[in-house]
Amino acid sequence: MGIINVKGTHDIIGGEAENYSYVENVMSQIASFFAFKQVRPPVLEHSELFVRGVGESSDVVRKEMYTFDDKGGRSLTLRPEFTAGIMRLIVQNKLLPISELPLKLYYCGPVFRYERPQLGRYRQFNQFGVESVGHASPYADVEVISLAYTILQSLGLQNVTIKINTLGDEASRDAYRAALKDFFKDKVENMCEDCKMRYQINPLRILDCKVPSDQEIVKDAPKMSAYISEASQKRFSQVLESLKAMDIPYEVDDTLVRGLDYYSETVFEFHYVSNKGNDYGAIGAGGHYDKLVHEIGGPDAPGVGFSFGVERLVSVLCDDGLLEQADLPLDAYVMPLGIESQKNALMVANELRVLGYRVDMCYDDVKLSNMFKRAEKKQAKLAIIIGEEEIKNEAVVLKNMETKEQITVSLEDLGNKVDEILMEKGE
Ligand code: HAM
């Protein structure tokens, strides 16, 4: 075989690409109903942004970044997530402070992580997400969760599980880290090399370890909930009460710590097992952060956001029959009789395309019966035949593929006639 795609990447073709556009359009439209504005940060950033923003104890930064030196000797990284880059964009473009907070932004595009590819896990994948920055209100968290929930509902996903937890404020996390250090002190020697390092940099990360023998040890570790300050408890209760009032179902999961270092207070994940029983992992996740903007050189501004994995979303929607996989049917298929008629056929096709119809034409010099077969295969509603005679008379033959009715129409009247036939069908 010749050159193939890079491991962990995937080609998105035809009907599947339409599915991605559809899902991304639904998400963008709903984000704009919630008064979020679109931003498009670059894919390449200075590596330091992610080390400072996402955190050096996270697996994403330690093991999964596509980092390289460019020809000018700069260490650059293909973004492994959006949030740090969005904060850089906000700080650098002085989008804060503004008269009314929060600043609400949404984004969509490819991200890169050097992970082991498996079901729902790629090395290049797409994220859609939002960040609401500059207001500490617990209702900003609720707004963001309800936006994500509205998107999932609008796409038709009914049985979404929202797992939610609080990591508390800085004081809560400091107290919890100290308790974890104490607990793991005489156990860490027997744990994996990663956990030994996590113990030094951020013992919270040990809770995420996937090594079975380490997970056994983790089971008996102190629980986060015992170390949450009163203020953080109150804030979390306000979030939960508000979700309840809005009929947004959730499950409090006090083992949920999230894998990125910037979170504090509310964290959450969206889970969904498709009707086929496929579990693609979390289809989206997010949370609140306090220090990220400051870390990147900006003012003290808290924020909250989430990102969906678009591949995972499209996969569950396909599994549950909520997306059409087929290519969209044609409005018209233009069939030139002989090579000499192709130029005129193309002009006719284009005229209908600019009127907003989906039109294709035949480039092969084949029999009319063959072209009709092709029109049927493409589910064309109309066939348009154009030959020497029609060119001379400045007309075409228009055949309604459903009723089989066939008429000759002048080029001048073609647009109106197509409108008439397709409108009648409710197109
Ligand atoms: P994350 O949990 O690392 O959070 O990723 C968000 C989502 O991206 C996941 O829930 C999953 O659906 C998808 N995802 C992650 N890794 C892969 C992969 N290898 N292949 C396919 N999909 C994947 C973040 O990235 C945070 N920036 C979210 C956030 C925004 N927090 C606050 N604001």
Side-chain angles (χ1 to χ4, degrees):
M1 200 187 297
I3 298 170
I4 59 162
N5 65 315
V6 173
K7 187 174 175 186
T9 67
H10 63 128
D11 298 315
I12 306 172
I13 298 167
E16 202 192 359
E18 306 271 358
N19 288 342
Y20 275 75
S21 300
Y22 162 74
V23 170
E24 287 164 5
N25 285 341
V26 168
M27 296 194 285
S28 305
Q29 205 165 49
I30 295 174
S32 85
F33 289 159
F34 278 68
F36 282 73
K37 298 216 161 64
Q38 192 185 168
V39 283
R40 294 177 183 235
V43 169
L44 271 181
E45 297 278 3
H46 291 285
S47 305
E48 195 196 344
L49 172 72
F50 302 110
V51 177
R52 267 163 60 179
V54 177
E56 37 183 353
S57 79
S58 66
D59 277 359
V60 167
V61 169
R62 287 185 46 249
K63 301 184 192 165
E64 296 170 1
M65 295 211 300
Y66 280 90
T67 295
F68 59 95
D69 286 348
D70 75 358
K71 291 191 194 319
R74 302 167 193 90
S75 176
L76 303 181
T77 294
L78 297 176
R79 66 177 171 224
E81 61 113 47
F82 270 92
T83 311
I86 299 293
M87 298 310 123
R88 199 263 316 134
L89 172 151
I90 291 174
V91 173
Q92 185 178 341
N93 294 281
K94 301 190 172 57
L95 302 190
L96 285 176
I98 43 171
S99 57
E100 196 183 344
L101 292 166
L103 172 68
K104 303 201 293 189
L105 305 174
Y106 78 90
Y107 48 81
C108 186
V111 297
F112 303 82
R113 293 185 190 177
Y114 192 75
E115 290 194 84
R116 195 143 59 85
Q118 51 186 279
L119 185 74
R121 179 158 297 159
Y122 299 90
R123 289 183 173 171
Q124 176 178 339
F125 58 101
N126 292 280
Q127 282 190 342
F128 173 94
V130 310
E131 308 296 337
S132 167
V133 184
H135 212 298
S137 166
Y139 302 112
D141 299 9
V142 177
E143 183 181 41
V144 155
I145 296 170
S146 73
L147 162 54
Y149 188 66
T150 307
I151 286 174
L152 297 173
Q153 294 262 295
S154 304
L155 289 170
L157 297 174
Q158 297 301 330
N159 298 313
V160 176
T161 305
I162 304 178
K163 293 187 179 176
I164 190 165
N165 192 22
T166 179
L167 301 179
D169 50 22
E170 210 174 358
S172 317
R173 282 196 311 289
D174 284 349
Y176 186 44
R177 272 197 208 100
L180 288 178
K181 277 224 149 182
D182 203 38
F183 174 80
F184 287 114
K185 192 168 54 192
D186 51 0
K187 301 180 180 65
V188 70
E189 266 315 300
N190 303 319
M191 299 178 81
C192 72
E193 289 309 309
D194 274 346
C195 280
K196 287 182 185 131
M197 190 280 307
R198 290 169 181 140
Y199 181 81
Q200 297 303 335
I201 310 182
N202 183 2
L204 262 172
R205 289 277 84 82
I206 297 179
L207 306 180
D208 264 350
C209 183
K210 301 286 180 289
V211 177
S213 55
D214 290 355
Q215 285 180 333
E216 272 308 304
I217 300 174
V218 164
K219 268 189 195 150
D220 299 324
K223 295 281 174 283
M224 178 88 215
S225 47
Y227 296 85
I228 301 297
S229 69
E230 216 172 289
S232 291
Q233 284 287 9
K234 187 173 166 215
R235 190 180 188 284
F236 192 45
S237 303
Q238 285 172 312
V239 170
L240 299 185
E241 274 162 25
S242 178
L243 289 175
K244 205 165 174 192
M246 292 170 83
D247 278 333
I248 300 177
Y250 60 80
E251 284 174 15
V252 176
D253 176 351
D254 70 358
T255 64
L256 184 70
V257 289
R258 305 276 303 123
L260 311 167
D261 286 354
Y262 46 67
Y263 293 114
S264 61
E265 311 285 0
T266 319
V267 288
F268 49 87
E269 285 183 355
F270 302 93
H271 290 259
Y272 190 89
V273 180
S274 75
N275 291 339
K276 285 190 178 162
N278 285 329
D279 185 349
Y280 297 91
I283 51 176
H288 175 96
Y289 39 88
D290 276 328
K291 298 267 177 289
L292 191 50
V293 181
H294 189 70
E295 196 65 60
I296 282 154
D300 264 328
V304 57
F306 71 81
S307 306
F308 280 132
V310 183
E311 276 70 7
R312 294 186 187 181
L313 263 182
V314 169
S315 297
V316 290
L317 289 165
C318 282
D319 277 8
D320 284 8
L322 295 166
L323 287 174
E324 292 277 321
Q325 280 240 277
D327 285 331
L328 290 170
L330 287 181
D331 291 312
Y333 187 57
V334 185
M335 314 195 315
L337 300 176
I339 303 257
E340 318 72 52
S341 308
Q342 285 190 356
K343 186 180 81 185
N344 295 69
L346 182 61
M347 284 157 61
V348 167
N350 276 2
E351 224 165 277
L352 294 176
R353 288 165 178 161
V354 294
L355 292 178
Y357 291 109
R358 189 173 303 109
V359 182
D360 207 353
M361 69 171 267
C362 181
Y363 275 102
D364 295 321
D365 190 11
V366 292
K367 282 194 195 137
L368 193 59
S369 57
N370 185 318
M371 287 196 274
F372 269 118
K373 277 197 193 122
R374 295 183 186 201
E376 266 165 32
K377 206 163 155 217
K378 290 165 187 277
Q379 300 175 57
K381 292 160 199 149
L382 299 171
I384 298 175
I385 304 157
I386 179 160
E388 215 179 305
E389 184 72 17
E390 285 76 26
I391 294 172
K392 203 165 70 201
N393 296 334
E394 296 189 1
V396 293
V397 172
L398 192 61
K399 180 164 181 174
N400 184 328
M401 295 292 285
E402 196 183 298
T403 63
K404 308 289 175 219
E405 208 179 316
Q406 187 167 308
I407 48 169
T408 298
V409 187
S410 73
L411 284 179
E412 207 181 325
D413 288 342
L414 180 62
N416 287 337
K417 199 67 203 169
V418 170
D419 282 347
E420 204 178 288
I421 299 173
L422 294 184
M423 297 294 177
E424 232 172 58
K425 288 184 71 191
E427 304 298 337

